[in-house]
């Protein structure tokens, strides 16, 4: 059994300024990262390759699907000089991180119910721990994209900086949504199943496997441009493939992240004290 020593959750008056509140929200990040690394080590202990087994599996899927679907789609406009395989690799890894985070986010408080009811620590610790754990796995899977770049050598330039900025927006949007689905799932236990179904549908209607430029018709374009997943993936994938998204795409991505964070933090402030009673 692993014991974690934590300090009692600080109580602050209603008049506490915004800087102090933000400091309290950010304080558990370090402990969350440490626990995430520990989770990863414990999960893959006594294995030869550890989390790289997931990387190998994902790499085999990228090569197989990228080769077959690359013959179908070719190299349409909007995917840069990297080709379809790199387009598919980046899209699937960003989507995998998002879908795993949202799926686990639905039960992040439910699975930590024992700790929540016995230790006075911030609920955000469990969210940071889960997101950091998935970031560790994403870091391992990013090796696939690096290997593809070493083979194909498409131009990057400042695109890496743009991709990092887009990824920060995606993580912020995920953080807000995890707070929403995590808190509501403690009260409404059918929500995880609903979220799983919605994620399956979003995977099919989002340009992850198929290029956005392959759509034709006003209805199809509405399905694309009305889908927030498209913008959150495009601000990461586009710069990495040498295709800087237009300013409108960035604006929508910032808006999605802002709305998601606002909803999540508002719900957290309003309902965080009820979560232990719903568990």
């Amino acid at each position: 059994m692993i014991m974690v020593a934590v300090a009692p959750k600080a109580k602050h008056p209603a008049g506490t300024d915004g800087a102090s509140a933000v400091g309290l929200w950010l304080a558990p990040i370090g402990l969350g990262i440490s626990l995430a690394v520990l989770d990863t080590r414990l999960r893959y202990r006594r294995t030869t390759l550890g989390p790289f087994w997931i990387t190998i599996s994902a790499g085999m899927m990228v090569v197989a699907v990228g080769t077959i679907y690359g013959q179908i789609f070719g190299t349409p406009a909007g995917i840069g000089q990297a080709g379809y395989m790199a387009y598919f690799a980046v899209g699937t890894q960003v989507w995998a991180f998002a879908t795993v985070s949202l799926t686990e986010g639905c039960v992040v408080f439910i699975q930590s119910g024992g700790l929540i009811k016995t230790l006075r620590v911030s609920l955000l610790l469990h969210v940071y721990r889960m997101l950091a754990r998935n970031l560790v796995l994403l870091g391992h899977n990013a090796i696939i994209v690096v290997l593809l770049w070493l083979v194909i050598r498409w131009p990057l330039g400042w695109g890496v900086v743009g991709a990092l900025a887009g990824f920060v927006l995606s993580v912020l949007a995920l953080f807000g949504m995890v707070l929403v689905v995590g808190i509501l799932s403690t009260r409404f236990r059918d929500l995880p199943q609903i979220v799983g179904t919605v994620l399956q549908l979003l995977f099919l209607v989002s340009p992850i496997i198929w290029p956005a430029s392959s759509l034709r018709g006003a209805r199809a374009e509405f399905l694309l441009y009305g889908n927030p997943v498209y913008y959150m993936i495009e601000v990461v994938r586009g710069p990495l493939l040498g295709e800087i998204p237009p300013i409108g795409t960035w604006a929508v991505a910032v808006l999605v992240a802002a709305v998601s964070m606002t909803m999540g933090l508002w719900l957290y402030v309003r309902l965080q004290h009820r979560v232990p009673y719903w568990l």
Side-chain angles (χ1 to χ4, degrees):
M1 178 180 297
I2 299 174
M3 302 298 294
V4 179
V6 292
K9 183 164 54 178
K11 296 182 179 180
H12 52 281
T16 303
D17 58 18
S20 299
V22 172
L24 290 174
W25 290 344
L26 298 180
I29 290 181
L31 180 57
I33 294 175
S34 299
L35 291 175
V37 174
L38 180 62
D39 289 340
T40 305
R41 290 178 176 175
L42 292 178
R43 180 178 180 181
Y44 295 100
R45 63 179 178 178
R46 297 184 180 178
T47 62
T48 304
L49 299 180
F52 286 106
W53 282 115
I54 299 178
T55 304
I56 294 173
S57 176
M60 294 174 62
M61 183 188 68
V62 166
V63 172
V65 176
T67 301
I68 297 173
Y69 280 74
Q71 298 298 319
I72 298 174
F73 294 115
T75 309
I79 67 173
Q81 303 178 31
Y84 176 80
M85 188 174 295
Y87 177 89
F88 175 74
V90 178
T92 51
Q93 295 314 309
V94 175
W95 171 255
F97 170 70
T99 188
V100 170
S101 297
L102 286 174
T103 302
E104 294 184 359
C106 289
V107 295
V108 65
F109 299 131
I110 298 174
Q111 291 181 342
S112 302
L115 291 175
I116 292 174
K117 289 185 287 187
T118 56
L119 296 177
R120 292 180 57 83
V121 295
S122 172
L123 295 179
L124 294 179
L125 170 65
H126 309 289
V127 177
Y128 294 145
R129 178 181 185 177
M130 182 271 297
L131 287 176
R133 184 171 61 242
N134 291 330
L135 280 172
V136 171
L137 295 178
L138 177 64
H140 286 85
N141 291 343
I143 296 175
I144 299 172
V145 180
V146 175
L147 292 177
L148 283 176
W149 183 82
L150 291 176
V151 174
I152 304 175
R153 294 280 184 169
W154 67 85
L156 286 176
W158 289 98
V160 176
V161 178
L164 289 175
F167 184 69
V168 170
L169 288 176
S170 298
V171 172
L172 291 177
L174 274 176
F175 177 76
M177 290 306 302
V178 166
L179 285 178
V180 172
V181 298
I183 292 175
L184 293 181
S185 292
T186 60
R187 178 64 177 85
F188 306 101
R189 297 302 174 96
D190 291 326
L191 187 59
Q193 286 72 31
I194 297 174
V195 171
T197 301
V198 172
L199 288 175
Q200 291 179 3
L201 293 176
L202 284 176
F203 175 77
L204 296 176
V205 302
S206 301
I208 300 171
I209 294 181
W210 46 271
S213 58
S214 62
L215 289 181
R216 298 292 184 272
R219 293 183 178 179
E221 291 183 355
F222 174 78
L223 185 66
L224 174 67
Y225 296 117
N227 183 359
V229 175
Y230 163 70
Y231 300 97
M232 304 314 297
I233 292 181
E234 194 61 26
V235 292
V236 180
R237 180 171 56 190
L240 271 183
L241 300 183
E243 295 285 326
I244 303 299
I247 189 65
T249 301
W250 285 100
V252 175
V254 171
L255 179 62
V256 171
V259 171
S260 176
M261 285 287 292
T262 301
M263 291 175 55
L265 292 177
W266 178 81
L267 203 63
Y268 175 76
V269 171
R270 290 291 300 272
L271 300 178
Q272 60 173 316
H273 302 298
R274 298 188 182 182
V275 169
Y277 298 99
W278 289 338
L279 292 172

